[in-house]
Amino acid sequence: MRLTPRALLPMVLALITTSLACGDATAVPDCTADMDAEVCAVFQLVNQERVSRGLAPYMWNSQLAVASQRHAQDMVAQDYFSHTSLDGRDFGDRADDANYDGSPRGENIAAGQGSAEAVMQSWMNSAGHRDNILSTSSNEIGIGLHELHWVQNFGFTTPAE
């Protein structure tokens, strides 16, 4: 069966439409609106921990989330687990690459935990990770998840007056 250009047109349009709908491979949820994503459950748990200790909740930042998501994907694709990417970049470099306009302050990573609750328990049981979550020098967070590789990036932006 030979397909004519006219017969191929609907298939090509369908492929283009599907590709556009998928968007960026590092697309992240908006945890100010779409609370169903697993990373948004982590965002809620982080803020519950903060508020229970009298700290202000973090604001969601999509650029930090993109940096986190990209790092999670990179760790899986390149088979490593580290705060430093194989190309030598750290969380600040990755935040810059994601066009974050604030001041990057820290990063938490974890692997293997099967739920938001499990990864939060791991982080809260680790002094350094807990310090990042409860930091008073950060006011924003973005979270990424890929194949049970979790990444949180923390930053600070001066609040608008």
Side-chain angles (χ1 to χ4, degrees):
M1 176 178 149
R2 180 164 160 39
L3 295 175
T4 65
R6 171 169 261 147
L8 286 173
L9 183 61
M11 287 186 275
V12 170
L13 290 175
L15 282 173
I16 291 170
T17 303
T18 302
S19 297
L20 291 174
C22 291
D24 183 358
T26 55
V28 295
D30 176 2
C31 288
T32 62
D34 174 20
M35 297 307 285
D36 291 333
E38 194 72 9
V39 295
C40 296
V42 172
F43 177 60
Q44 288 178 323
L45 292 169
V46 164
N47 280 336
Q48 287 172 9
E49 289 287 347
R50 291 180 62 79
V51 169
S52 74
R53 290 167 168 77
L55 301 170
Y58 281 130
M59 295 178 293
W60 179 257
N61 183 280
S62 60
Q63 287 81 25
L64 288 175
V66 166
S68 297
Q69 185 65 30
R70 287 176 179 165
H71 188 46
Q73 290 171 335
D74 187 57
M75 287 192 293
V76 170
Q78 306 256 2
D79 193 28
Y80 72 98
F81 183 74
S82 176
H83 291 285
T84 304
S85 299
L86 294 182
D87 61 7
R89 293 176 306 133
D90 66 11
F91 69 91
D93 298 321
R94 291 187 294 269
D96 289 344
D97 291 345
N99 297 315
Y100 179 59
D101 59 1
S103 174
R105 297 295 170 101
E107 178 179 74
N108 286 347
I109 61 175
Q113 295 83 355
S115 69
E117 293 79 8
V119 75
M120 276 300 294
Q121 182 176 12
S122 293
W123 281 330
M124 293 306 290
N125 287 334
S126 163
H129 296 105
R130 183 176 53 249
D131 289 348
N132 279 339
I133 290 168
L134 302 177
S135 175
T136 57
S137 67
S138 299
N139 63 359
E140 297 183 306
I141 190 173
I143 304 164
L145 169 63
H146 186 68
E147 295 182 13
L148 298 184
H149 283 67
W150 304 82
V151 180
Q152 293 178 318
N153 276 286
F154 304 89
F156 180 83
T157 300
T158 304
E161 294 181 20

